[in-house]
Amino acid sequence: MELRGKQKQYLKKEAHHMNPLFQVGKGGLNEEMLYQIGEALEKRELLKVALLQNTDEETEDVAAVIEEKLQAKVVQQIGRTLVLFKPSTKEKNRRYSTIVEKI
């Protein structure tokens, strides 16, 4: 699913007040963290991931890995924070994707 401008704008607005749910630190982005991010995206559809100062990872690299491995979309990158979106496969967890499809 490719996001258009209005859809991204809506998701950015919804994510604005969220706090980062995951923090990539000294250990970097590993398989366990990717699994947990994937599970959280399945339940929430929209979340933030922050890169701490002590990490060796680059924000663009983390974004590319998440997009490739989880098929999630990076809606926005603000400094060292990523806003991620992935439509849920379960009907009961669809909060944002139903609205995004209508926009």
Side-chain angles (χ1 to χ4, degrees):
M1 171 184 201
E2 193 60 40
L3 296 173
R4 295 186 306 274
K6 292 260 187 195
Q7 294 169 325
K8 283 185 180 182
Q9 186 179 6
Y10 167 76
L11 291 170
K12 288 177 191 179
K13 181 185 78 155
E14 292 296 316
H16 178 73
H17 297 291
M18 290 181 177
N19 291 323
L21 201 59
F22 293 95
Q23 296 177 336
V24 179
K26 205 180 340 181
L29 189 66
N30 54 30
E31 290 298 319
E32 180 62 29
M33 184 175 280
L34 280 171
Y35 175 77
Q36 290 177 354
I37 291 172
E39 290 293 310
L41 278 170
E42 180 63 36
K43 285 198 167 86
R44 295 174 178 245
E45 292 189 320
L46 187 68
L47 58 86
K48 284 184 179 180
V49 176
L51 277 76
L52 300 178
Q53 290 179 341
N54 64 351
T55 186
D56 294 333
E57 303 277 344
E58 292 294 325
T59 313
E60 293 81 16
D61 298 339
V62 171
V65 169
I66 289 173
E67 282 187 330
E68 179 188 331
K69 299 237 179 177
L70 300 178
Q71 282 74 47
K73 294 291 177 193
V74 176
V75 177
Q76 186 178 31
Q77 176 184 334
I78 309 167
R80 297 175 67 86
T81 303
L82 300 171
V83 177
L84 306 174
F85 172 73
K86 182 179 179 186
S88 179
T89 57
K90 296 180 181 162
E91 193 69 36
K92 67 177 185 174
N93 295 336
R94 291 188 176 193
R95 177 176 170 198
Y96 300 108
S97 57
T98 53
I99 297 170
V100 166
E101 289 172 3
K102 294 176 185 175
I103 297 176

